Amino acid sequence: MAAAAAAAAAAATSTSRLLHHHHHHTSSAGSNRQHLQKQLRYSAKPYPLALRPGGSGCRLWPKVAALLPDRVSPFSYGEDDQDEHPREECGLVGVVGDPDAASLCYLGLQKLQHRGEEGAGIVAVGGDGKLKSVTGLGLVADVFGDPARLASLPGPAAIGHVRYSTAGAAASLRNVQPFLAGYRFGQVAVAHNGNLVNYQALRNKLEARGSIFNTSSDTEVILHLIATSLSRPLLSRICDACERLAGAYSLLFLTADKLFAVRDPHGFRPLVLGRRRNGAVAFASETCALDLIDATYEREVEPGEVVVVDRRDMSVSSACLVPHRPRRACVFEHIYFALPNSVVFSHAVHERRTAFGRALAEESPAPGADVVIPVPDSGFYAALGFAHASGLEFQQGLIRWHYSGRSFIQPTQAIRDLAVKLKLAPVHGVIRGKSVVVVDDSLVRGTTSSKIVRLLRDAGAREVHMRIASPPVVGSCLYGIDTPSEGELISNRMDLEGVRRQIGSDSLAFLSLDKLHSIYGAEAEGYCDACFSRKYPVLPTLAEPALELED
């Protein structure tokens, strides 16, 4: 067991070095760390070992999994092994003060489709002040393919949501947001991006007091907390509810006369505010959605802030949700999730990715290489930065086919291998006879990377050097991202040389965590990198003594 932990620590701390130079480091748990935090950070054992007697460190993840909602399970992952990237869970759009609010939300959700492809919905305020909901399974264009569905949502205010789901909940329409509910003071709709790590504890308490749940989503807990709050008005109820939440949440609430935008005090997930020329106020998970609906980006919703827009007079006010806590924005938004034409956490995403690529070239050059190619689409800017810093030619050596849909399990390995070529096709003239540097944004399970290496060798590449513009992923996410179990994370099971052999490349290097931090400078402490470091800012609530969290 100690050897496994040491191997994971080695992968996390010395990954930027080329294989023939890398060194192993062991990690110390630290005498003052709480037991659960220690296990979260340093247990490197695959999940199946948790079932073995005596595996004390491995019993952690089953406990954690039991406390998380079905929407985010650290043990479930899609059947499509063609794309091993973690998946963002949700995208939000809200518009108030425009007669075409629902149509604008529809367009914004289209732009945020990459953040969730399994369900979509919009709730709008009609002229009579009543809230109406349209939700469905599938892509945004599928859900609203019938023009009558969007036409049924007239009114000056609306919120929308796209989602991914896991653990068997994908086919459940009842889990598709926004959720619309009535309580004694009227109707309220909510859309949520993130994950509540104390969801199960809250649900257990609410159910013991008589609450009845209709979904397996942690978002429903928020509605129950609002409904049972003794405060008035709704702003106070929202603040009361959020004071009891732990974890990641960016929220949009809609009532007959107001829209509320809320961000958790750590700021895990993004949420931005913009304004259209007609004075309408818009909110979205990414600025690319604002751009599409001609809304000018103004600022982020700050961590711990509630922004209230009153549609009656279009006044905008702000309140502090909870006392200040250390900022922990998700670094993976910059690495992979957000579109490159977005501004996220006040940084242009394409500039961050280009910087990651430059830093990777400085740490782990590929002497003698002929050409740098990206793994499309998210590896493009990192590869561009690597090529510029290396003085190497940049080419598009792999072409992604965007119309193949999800590739489910095929009957034979030969057919599965052919299915890879449907999604990624090599440009033979760029690759044949060349020493190729392949730059990807991340390496999670290793399945896609190994297939890409084989694809390039079959296309005539003389050498294949894999460069990853982020540190090794060694921990599952607790804050709203669909990642595989720790046992499926290849860098959690193998050291650098083992990963290289597994994917079959001539060399392999990751961007080191220290180098990633150096790119952010003084801001580095404000980012959550738990998937790389296992330093979890907020832990699940367990039926154990209170735990001290990191400052």
Side-chain angles (χ1 to χ4, degrees):
M1 301 301 178
T13 56
S14 58
T15 51
S16 71
R17 299 170 178 83
L18 293 177
L19 295 174
H20 51 279
H21 292 307
H22 82 280
H23 304 286
H24 292 278
H25 299 270
T26 57
S27 59
S28 170
S31 58
N32 62 338
R33 296 205 187 278
Q34 295 292 334
H35 181 62
L36 180 57
Q37 181 81 16
K38 186 192 306 179
Q39 292 183 32
L40 274 167
R41 294 190 185 186
Y42 299 111
S43 173
K45 292 169 281 191
Y47 172 64
L49 294 180
L51 304 178
R52 297 180 183 177
S56 60
C58 295
R59 289 197 295 266
L60 168 71
W61 275 116
K63 294 178 183 178
V64 173
L67 299 175
L68 299 179
D70 286 346
R71 186 165 54 83
V72 184
S73 166
F75 301 114
S76 57
Y77 208 66
E79 291 179 323
D80 179 3
D81 68 352
Q82 310 301 321
D83 186 355
E84 65 172 32
H85 294 99
R87 299 186 308 187
E88 177 59 85
E89 289 300 327
C90 302
L92 309 177
V93 180
V95 177
V96 58
D98 194 292
D100 296 318
S103 295
L104 293 172
C105 279
Y106 166 76
L107 292 172
L109 292 178
Q110 288 265 35
K111 197 64 176 179
L112 297 178
Q113 188 73 85
H114 61 287
R115 299 183 74 91
E117 298 181 355
E118 293 178 359
I122 296 174
V123 172
V125 179
D128 58 358
K130 300 291 186 181
L131 274 62
K132 183 173 181 180
S133 170
V134 174
T135 61
L137 296 171
L139 302 178
V140 176
D142 298 329
V143 174
F144 295 96
D146 182 353
R149 303 200 80 190
L150 199 56
S152 70
L153 297 171
I159 60 174
H161 187 271
V162 290
R163 76 185 296 269
Y164 272 122
S165 59
T166 59
S172 177
L173 181 60
R174 65 183 181 179
N175 283 318
V176 179
Q177 299 181 34
F179 291 156
L180 174 59
Y183 72 122
R184 57 179 172 155
F185 298 110
Q187 290 179 295
V188 60
V190 60
H192 172 208
N193 177 25
N195 183 59
L196 306 179
V197 298
N198 64 338
Y199 155 75
Q200 195 63 54
L202 291 173
R203 178 164 178 157
N204 290 345
K205 185 174 293 186
L206 287 164
E207 287 180 327
R209 294 177 179 177
S211 292
I212 297 174
F213 285 78
N214 294 315
T215 75
S216 57
S217 169
D218 55 347
T219 308
E220 192 177 3
V221 162
I222 301 170
L223 289 174
H224 281 275
L225 292 175
I226 289 172
T228 56
S229 170
L230 300 178
S231 298
R232 292 279 304 273
L234 181 58
L235 175 60
S236 297
R237 287 173 172 266
I238 290 173
C239 290
D240 280 354
C242 290
E243 285 178 357
R244 299 177 64 182
L245 304 180
Y249 54 89
S250 288
L251 300 163
L252 294 179
F253 295 94
L254 184 65
T255 66
D257 54 14
K258 291 184 176 70
L259 190 153
F260 302 81
V262 182
R263 198 157 165 229
D264 73 76
H266 291 288
F268 283 106
R269 309 254 69 84
L271 189 62
V272 294
L273 181 155
R275 197 180 299 266
R276 284 170 52 82
R277 286 190 293 269
N278 64 359
V281 177
F283 298 90
S285 294
E286 295 182 33
T287 60
C288 63
L290 300 181
D291 295 340
L292 181 64
I293 63 174
D294 290 331
T296 302
Y297 167 63
E298 291 189 354
R299 66 177 180 89
E300 287 186 276
V301 175
E302 293 297 326
E305 181 185 17
V306 184
V307 178
V308 185
V309 184
D310 192 321
R311 74 175 182 88
R312 295 168 297 187
D313 59 9
M314 290 306 297
S315 61
V316 180
S317 58
S318 174
C320 180
L321 183 68
V322 292
H324 174 74
R325 294 177 189 169
R327 185 182 178 106
R328 290 293 185 268
C330 174
V331 72
F332 235 102
E333 292 282 352
H334 287 160
I335 290 169
Y336 172 69
F337 294 129
L339 288 183
N341 59 326
S342 285
V343 174
V344 173
F345 307 137
S346 301
H347 288 286
V349 174
H350 78 280
E351 292 180 354
R352 291 284 95 173
R353 291 179 186 167
T354 303
F356 299 154
R358 285 197 302 264
L360 181 60
E362 293 169 4
E363 275 198 321
S364 304
D370 301 309
V371 65
V372 177
I373 68 170
V375 175
D377 294 311
S378 53
F380 181 89
Y381 283 98
L384 195 61
F386 190 100
H388 287 171
S390 302
L392 295 172
E393 180 184 10
F394 174 85
Q395 287 279 2
Q396 194 79 14
L398 291 168
I399 305 300
R400 179 175 290 274
W401 181 251
H402 293 274
Y403 308 104
S404 60
R406 297 194 66 185
S407 302
F408 293 96
I409 295 175
Q410 302 295 333
T412 67
Q413 184 62 46
I415 296 299
R416 286 195 291 269
D417 290 342
L418 289 175
V420 179
K421 297 180 180 179
L422 180 62
K423 184 167 285 190
L424 283 176
V427 181
H428 291 78
V430 172
I431 295 164
R432 188 179 297 113
K434 303 282 185 66
S435 175
V436 181
V437 179
V438 188
V439 180
D440 203 355
D441 57 87
S442 58
L443 194 155
V444 181
R445 292 181 297 172
T447 52
T448 299
S449 298
S450 62
K451 291 170 183 176
I452 288 173
V453 171
R454 289 201 305 270
L455 197 66
L456 294 174
R457 293 200 190 281
D458 290 344
R462 188 176 79 252
E463 294 177 338
V464 179
H465 302 279
M466 186 67 72
R467 295 292 181 269
I468 308 300
S470 63
V473 177
V474 294
S476 295
C477 179
L478 303 182
Y479 311 119
I481 294 168
D482 178 17
T483 51
S485 69
E486 290 204 350
E488 294 178 278
L489 301 173
I490 190 169
S491 293
N492 193 47
R493 296 184 289 108
M494 302 178 183
D495 62 11
L496 190 62
E497 170 62 16
V499 176
R500 184 201 67 78
R501 287 197 304 266
Q502 182 73 19
I503 67 173
S505 59
D506 292 284
S507 72
L508 168 68
F510 293 81
L511 183 67
S512 70
L513 188 57
D514 286 343
K515 194 69 169 180
L516 179 67
H517 289 166
S518 72
I519 293 169
Y520 286 93
E523 295 182 37
E525 291 186 358
Y527 284 85
C528 177
D529 57 17
C531 52
F532 306 133
S533 66
R534 292 201 187 89
K535 296 180 180 178
Y536 290 87
V538 184
L539 297 178
T541 301
L542 302 175
E544 296 180 6
L547 298 169
E548 294 181 6
L549 303 181
E550 65 172 4
D551 295 329

